[in-house]
Amino acid sequence: MPLFCDLCPEKAILKRPKNGSKLCKNCFFYMFEEEIHQTIISGNLFSSGETVAIGASGGKDSTVLAYIMKLLNEKYDYGLNLVLLSVDEGITGYRDDSLETVKRNKEQYSLPLKIVSYQELYNWSMDSIVRQIGMKNNCTFCGVFRRQALDRGANLIKADKICTGHNADDIAETVIMNILRGDIARLRRCTAITTCSDDDGIPRCKPLKYTYEKEIVMYAYFKNLDYFSTECIYSPNAYRGYARAYIKDLEQVRPSSILDIIHSGEVMCIKEETKMPVQTHCERCGYISSNKLCKACILLEGLNKGLPKLGIGKTPKTYRTEGVSNSSESGSCTNCACKSKTKTGTRNGALNSVVSGRAGITASQDLNATSNPPVDNSNIDF
């Protein structure tokens, strides 16, 4: 016996994972797009005239995000200037192929594209990092560098907002990961639909915050969107993978568990007497950090000194309380492309260093909790 759409007389072709409703193709498209539109409006994510950088990796999430943002921008007259922004981590056989998808998306959606690479920003690629660090903890390097590379790329195109493809599954996984790590600082902000590292930083927003990953896949399939579906070759042992498996098991038993976890994170309160990391600026590159040096500077120093595990896990006490290495005390950065003195604490100075080719590094959302075990700072798909 055929099943009929809950919203019209047409035959249903799918059952929504989020709520179990039976929908035809056109009604699914309408509900999917309208829910994202309502998320954007209720969250007041954008303002007319803004330049919005869409984090584009070529994967399903970012491809659907780019398609939806262009569609809604035209349909509801948001008045946004949309730009695709990609990060080339330097992963042979993975990122080079996915960037070809992004370049096709650029033509398909008629959107400008900006690509920044780890090699030009940090003088390291992920291939060379993995050769030093091995397959364990490499996601920590990639996550820290990618977040900051997105910020630096957005600065270059003078973006007002960064738009990422984090979906409901991703956010629920992050909540679970932060609970298991006891990372209260990140736990408090990981469910926010818009985040910003400091008052002068570029806000990041998540229009797909309440959108299930399965529905994103179905939308991309039925719309016949062009996306890259291969997983990163360096991520099989990522900590996030265990959280993902746990979330999938919960979803099978209770489909609403993904949204339930997100809502739990949204209403979670932190006691006033709880000691939280104090945000300051990196003494080496001038970007936001909760320690003397930002996480990226510590990781880069370890790589350049042949001590790749220097920045893994708990931040060394030297960088938290007793000052920094001689190179930073003298004002000269020796672990990145920067060859001149960088002043501390000014966002404008950091932005100028980006434009001039220095390695001012944006430590967006990096509150290096001092009691953390080795962490996986990776994101699924920008």
Side-chain angles (χ1 to χ4, degrees), residues 317-337:
K317 187 176 181 181
T318 302
Y319 300 127
R320 288 188 281 115
T321 58
E322 298 177 357
V324 296
S325 64
N326 292 334
S327 61
S328 62
E329 289 172 355
S330 64
S332 176
C333 179
T334 60
N335 68 336
C336 56

Side-chain angles (χ1 to χ4, degrees), residues 169-183 186-187 190 238-244 246-247 261 372-380:
D169 298 56
D170 298 336
I171 297 173
E173 292 164 11
T174 304
V175 171
I176 296 299
M177 290 168 64
N178 288 330
I179 290 175
L180 294 177
R181 291 195 303 233
D183 194 336
R186 287 190 178 95
L187 181 60
C190 69
Y239 182 37
R240 181 177 288 273
Y242 299 100
R244 184 186 300 122
Y246 175 67
I247 292 295
I261 291 172
N372 288 348
V375 296
D376 170 14
N377 287 289
S378 61
N379 293 321
I380 297 299

